[in-house]
Amino acid sequence: MDTTIKISVIMPIYNGEKYLHQAIDSMLSQTFKDFELIAINDGSSDQSVEILKSYNDPRIVIINNTRNQGLIRTLNIGINNAHGKYVARLDQDDIALPKRLEVQYNFLENHPKIDLVGSWTECIDTTGKILKISRNPADPVIIRYELLFNNVMFHSSIFFRTDVIKKNGGYDERDPIAVHSEDYEMYSRPGKELRCANIPEVLFKLRLHGESIVGNPTSQITVHKNSLNVAYRNISQYIPLPHSDFETIKDILIIKKPNQTISCVNFSTALRTLRSVTREFIKKNNLSAPDSEKVLAQYRGRKWMLWKHYIIGKYHKVIKINYPQRQK
């Protein structure tokens, strides 16, 4: 590995001409200068290649796939060509704030036990207008617990140790559940779980629009399905849970969606499942007393939230429940 380069930024590109200039410019404007930007053109048919070639910056490395390989394969091509000690991700339509690389580089340098770090994000629309600020948990123990149920890391914000990801096999190109959930699958892969953290600071802007995986209704069907499949796999490593049982409780346990058709029996099963998997998570990970209490506080907050959604869905009543504050 060429240790003269500290960071390799991986940017997969497929017909990204609309926002590509903004994404590239946001990287070239970073306060941290010692990086390479690996831009992988995955068979684009628009002006993406011309936009890449218009930059005269030696830090930009262009890789052209001979044909469209898909996102997961393209990400692995980027990782295999990375020379940096660390890899940062950025999508073709997102924007990195100026200090993103500097802050994340310093964080991993000062936290050798963390494999991967993300951040909070501003969600923006096609014009750059801020829609909301999304704040995922920061504490590594809480993140690992939450990854049992859902993805709490923004893929385009992640910054990780290159050698760790390569050792773990990168993104899974073979397992169907990784399609459109490749990041969630990688973070929480049984036996190879990554030690993740989030910096409680907005370091990038996530653009929501109909052409992205996040915003496209068609791709969202696959995202939804495979995210549930990953969650089921994660929970099943701690407790025996037949898939048929998971299907009856997933709406309340994972989605937390008010639904008047959920029976009292299924709701009770969801609560028991949550309690059992929490208990086994604490036990099998040999958590210290302070870390156990963090997880139990998160469990209580999740339990009360399930009650809230269940009552709203079942009885069409909006109630106010003072559940424990989420760990940061």
Side-chain angles (χ1 to χ4, degrees):
M1 180 180 294
D2 184 356
T3 55
T4 62
I5 297 176
K6 297 294 191 296
I7 302 170
S8 297
V9 180
I10 296 177
M11 182 185 292
I13 299 166
Y14 178 69
N15 291 343
E17 64 179 5
K18 190 171 184 179
Y19 306 108
L20 189 53
H21 270 303
Q22 293 180 56
I24 294 173
D25 291 347
S26 75
M27 270 301 160
L28 299 183
S29 301
Q30 291 291 301
T31 56
F32 192 101
K33 304 297 183 183
D34 189 5
F35 68 88
E36 61 178 353
L37 172 56
I38 303 176
I40 309 121
N41 169 44
D42 190 28
S44 297
S45 58
D46 63 358
Q47 297 298 307
S48 293
V49 176
E50 286 70 21
I51 291 173
L52 289 173
K53 291 180 178 178
S54 70
Y55 286 88
N56 184 26
D57 191 309
R59 293 175 296 178
I60 299 178
V61 178
I62 302 174
I63 297 176
N64 286 299
N65 292 343
T66 54
R67 58 183 177 80
N68 182 265
Q69 302 279 334
L71 178 59
I72 298 177
R73 177 61 185 151
T74 299
L75 287 170
N76 283 334
I77 290 171
I79 291 172
N80 291 333
N81 283 276
H83 296 100
K85 178 180 180 181
Y86 301 111
V87 164
R89 276 277 292 112
L90 188 70
D91 286 327
Q92 64 189 20
D93 46 7
D94 295 336
I95 297 172
L97 297 186
K99 289 191 175 182
R100 178 198 163 176
L101 294 184
E102 178 184 349
V103 171
Q104 292 184 306
Y105 175 85
N106 289 335
F107 183 91
L108 285 193
E109 286 286 291
N110 293 320
H111 296 81
K113 293 184 178 180
I114 300 299
D115 301 317
L116 179 150
V117 64
S119 75
W120 289 354
T121 181
E122 287 179 352
C123 297
I124 60 175
D125 65 10
T126 56
T127 67
K129 178 183 176 182
I130 299 174
L131 302 173
K132 63 178 179 178
I133 296 178
S134 292
R135 299 173 175 88
N136 279 332
D139 188 280
V141 174
I142 297 304
I143 290 173
R144 185 165 183 175
Y145 174 70
E146 281 296 316
L147 286 174
L148 293 173
F149 310 103
N150 61 289
N151 190 359
V152 290
M153 307 293 297
F154 292 109
H155 195 188
S156 197
S157 80
I158 65 171
F159 186 103
F160 53 80
R161 300 182 191 277
T162 309
D163 58 346
V164 171
I165 300 302
K166 286 184 175 180
K167 182 179 178 181
N168 278 13
Y171 294 90
D172 196 328
E173 299 179 29
R174 295 171 297 177
D175 194 335
I177 72 171
V179 177
H180 292 340
S181 293
E182 64 282 339
D183 55 328
Y184 185 21
E185 190 284 325
M186 181 178 71
Y187 310 145
S188 57
R189 192 174 297 160
K192 296 182 178 180
E193 295 94 343
L194 298 176
R195 294 165 295 183
C196 302
N198 274 312
I199 295 170
E201 177 183 347
V202 174
L203 295 178
F204 91 112
K205 296 175 184 283
L206 174 69
R207 196 183 302 274
L208 302 177
H209 59 94
E211 298 172 12
S212 68
I213 292 175
V214 176
N216 185 287
T218 301
S219 61
Q220 271 299 303
I221 295 173
T222 304
V223 171
H224 178 79
K225 175 185 174 183
N226 284 340
S227 293
L228 286 172
N229 287 332
V230 174
Y232 172 68
R233 180 200 67 181
N234 294 346
I235 293 170
S236 296
Q237 69 176 303
Y238 288 100
I239 61 172
L241 182 64
H243 196 271
S244 57
D245 289 352
F246 179 74
E247 285 293 313
T248 64
I249 64 174
K250 66 184 181 183
D251 284 348
I252 192 70
L253 179 65
I254 307 296
I255 305 171
K256 295 179 288 188
K257 180 181 178 181
N259 188 334
Q260 62 182 343
T261 65
I262 294 175
S263 69
C264 293
V265 172
N266 288 344
F267 179 70
S268 296
T269 301
L271 289 182
R272 285 197 303 272
T273 300
L274 177 63
R275 182 174 64 249
S276 297
V277 74
T278 302
R279 182 175 59 243
E280 290 302 309
F281 176 86
I282 292 172
K283 184 168 122 180
K284 290 185 178 180
N285 286 290
N286 297 313
L287 297 186
S288 64
D291 284 343
S292 295
E293 187 48 47
K294 289 178 188 176
V295 171
L296 287 173
Q298 195 76 359
Y299 156 73
R300 288 189 289 268
R302 179 173 279 274
K303 181 178 71 172
W304 287 122
M305 184 61 74
L306 297 189
W307 269 108
K308 176 182 175 180
H309 284 285
Y310 174 70
I311 292 172
I312 291 172
K314 194 73 175 175
Y315 304 107
H316 304 286
K317 291 182 180 179
V318 177
I319 60 172
K320 184 176 181 180
I321 296 178
N322 293 319
Y323 53 88
Q325 187 175 3
R326 189 176 193 178
Q327 293 286 330
K328 294 183 178 180

